Amino acid sequence: MTTFIWIAAAIVLIGIYLSWTAGRLDRLHARIDAARAALDAQLLRRASVAQEVGTSGILDPAASIVLYQAAHEARQAEEDHREVAESELSQALRAIFDEETQLEAVREAPGGERTVTELTAAVRRVPMARRFHNDAVRAARAVRRHRVVRYLRLAGHAPFPLAFEMDDEPPAVLDDRSAGN
């Protein structure tokens, strides 16, 4: 009789552990979804502000075209090309705002101080949002690598989470570490 109780207790404990692990994995996937939505919002905000600056007529024509095209491509990119398009927007922002003169031109235009503030906030938030997303992906991958999770398919049919890898380095004049703002 005591053997039966010990076996039943072991089965209950294993069931509780598996249930807890499946719940944790579900919460991690929900966290990834929320972090991805936040990342998408920040990327869209950055592209929108960059597109606004590109069409404002403040920058020289070549810089305006480069910035507008990069922002447009980032907004319209398909999911499998999104990381490349966002990296190209980062590179365009760095190329255009590599000197303080372009930033001063935007700042001196009517409503320019507000535009610079929006652009600065947008380019600073993208790396943070990407870091939160990739941290959530890393945590879910760590749980999904366990044999028990794989063998018992505790992740269900959820796709394997992928990190969002892009060049998100902000222009030096907009980066708080170098600008001192």
Side-chain angles (χ1 to χ4, degrees), residues 96-145:
I96 291 165
F97 294 109
D98 64 345
E99 299 173 3
E100 189 80 29
T101 56
Q102 292 284 22
L103 190 63
E104 288 304 317
V106 174
R107 206 174 252 135
E108 291 170 1
E113 195 61 45
R114 181 185 59 81
T115 303
V116 168
T117 302
E118 287 180 24
L119 184 61
T120 301
V123 299
R124 287 181 184 169
R125 288 180 179 152
V126 166
M128 286 187 292
R130 188 175 75 84
R131 196 171 311 119
F132 288 138
H133 175 267
N134 289 349
D135 287 346
V137 167
R138 202 171 298 112
R141 283 180 170 181
V143 173
R144 288 183 69 155
R145 281 191 197 109

Side-chain angles (χ1 to χ4, degrees), residues 46-71 89 91-110 112 115-116 119 171 173-174:
R46 181 181 76 151
S48 297
V49 174
Q51 202 167 21
E52 180 181 322
V53 171
T55 60
S56 66
I58 299 168
L59 304 174
D60 63 83
S64 293
I65 290 171
V66 167
L67 188 58
Y68 174 80
Q69 284 182 329
L89 177 56
Q91 293 164 3
L93 285 166
R94 280 197 310 273
I96 291 165
F97 294 109
D98 64 345
E99 299 173 3
E100 189 80 29
T101 56
Q102 292 284 22
L103 190 63
E104 288 304 317
V106 174
R107 206 174 252 135
E108 291 170 1
T115 303
V116 168
L119 184 61
V173 295
L174 298 177

Side-chain angles (χ1 to χ4, degrees), residues 19-31:
S19 176
W20 176 80
T21 303
R24 179 172 180 228
L25 199 51
D26 188 49
R27 288 188 301 276
L28 286 171
H29 282 122
R31 187 173 138 205

Side-chain angles (χ1 to χ4, degrees), residues 122-169:
V123 299
R124 287 181 184 169
R125 288 180 179 152
V126 166
M128 286 187 292
R130 188 175 75 84
R131 196 171 311 119
F132 288 138
H133 175 267
N134 289 349
D135 287 346
V137 167
R138 202 171 298 112
R141 283 180 170 181
V143 173
R144 288 183 69 155
R145 281 191 197 109
H146 290 99
R147 279 189 217 133
V148 172
V149 173
R150 286 193 325 255
Y151 293 156
L152 298 178
R153 299 187 48 89
L154 296 181
H157 296 287
F160 194 75
L162 299 174
F164 194 86
E165 297 300 332
M166 64 171 273
D167 174 5
D168 60 3
E169 184 69 29

